[in-house]
Amino acid sequence: MEKRNNRPDRPLNERRQFFDSENRPVTPRRPAREGESREERAERRDDRPERREEGSRRDDRPRYPHRPAADRSIDMIFGLRPILEALNAGRTLDKIFLLRGTKNSMTQDIQVLAKAANIPMSMVPVEKLDGITKKNHQGAVAYVSPIDYMPLDSILAGLYEEGKTPLLLVLDRITDVRNFGSIARNAECLGVHAIVVPSNGAAQINGDALKTSAGALNLIPVCREANLKDTLTFLRESGVQVVACTEKTDTSLETGSVDLTGPLAILMGSEEDGISPEYLRLADHKLRIPMAGQISSLNVSVASGIMLYEVLRQRLVKS
């Protein structure tokens, strides 16, 4: 075969681009010049244009950005039949994602069982599923919860039967995993009997949440409720006082004007929007944490610790 000679000449000063095992661009080491010391070589390396520009840095974006990231958790089930079998076996699933537009007998069975078990479910495009896992998901992915959710009514009845004064923590739209883990740690240390979260709009309980909680999520029950409005109404009808922590009130925590020694549910809201107005209307009392600095808000995990400490302080003083 005749050799082609019409290819354009390759520039002599062209530099090849190298990539590491994670497909990220790396800069090859420059060979030392004859008689050049280590200090002189380092100075020459730091004098490159990209080094001289203040704030500039090497582009660490992957070479193949269209490829999905590695699986973020091993606690995952993918495929219609495996998810259906997990539901039939009573496994606790954190959330189910199904391919939008899929209609068959198995997806219908999954939807029925998920609704009965109060498991959040979302119909999503294929790009969402491909971003969760690189494996053949067949249009269905589910996260397995590392804990088992407990029924709130059974916990409350058990506390009353044992002669204990219930202390519950209700979280409205706390979506940050590490915040949730820190809140659980505060709750376990300060005597909370159970944490109540909504089915939708709550942080996923995964390995990060367990680690941040220092194992507290293995000790304190978590109740997942479909409707927090109905849950708060149920608590009030069961003799539990609902106290909301919000800056939208004039009653300050340090005044001690609210008795926190009886059956109690502390209601905490998201950092962005606070507590939903419909839930605030159901609260028996509203308390704010006093501030002395220029920043007018606290991290929700810190705020929960302050509120729960005041509850424990009043109870210890009374006892």
Side-chain angles (χ1 to χ4, degrees), residues 8-63:
D9 294 334
R10 191 171 185 175
L12 295 178
N13 60 349
E14 180 183 6
R15 295 179 57 189
R16 295 183 59 189
Q17 179 67 67
F18 296 87
F19 298 86
D20 59 14
S21 59
E22 296 181 356
N23 290 323
R24 296 184 182 276
V26 296
T27 303
R29 293 184 177 181
R30 294 185 176 184
R33 295 173 180 174
E34 184 177 358
E36 184 181 34
S37 64
R38 180 179 299 177
E39 291 77 10
E40 292 173 340
R41 182 184 176 189
E43 183 179 354
R44 179 166 57 88
R45 183 174 62 248
D46 291 337
D47 196 41
R48 288 177 293 178
E50 60 268 24
R51 293 276 185 174
R52 290 197 300 266
E53 294 180 7
E54 184 178 358
S56 64
R57 64 176 183 175
R58 177 170 56 87
D59 188 4
D60 288 334
R61 290 177 298 179
R63 183 183 181 187

Side-chain angles (χ1 to χ4, degrees), residues 166-170 232 235 240-244 262-267:
L167 174 57
L168 308 172
L169 183 60
V170 184
L232 294 174
L235 291 175
V240 178
Q241 180 180 230
V242 177
V243 176
L264 183 67
I266 298 294
L267 176 60

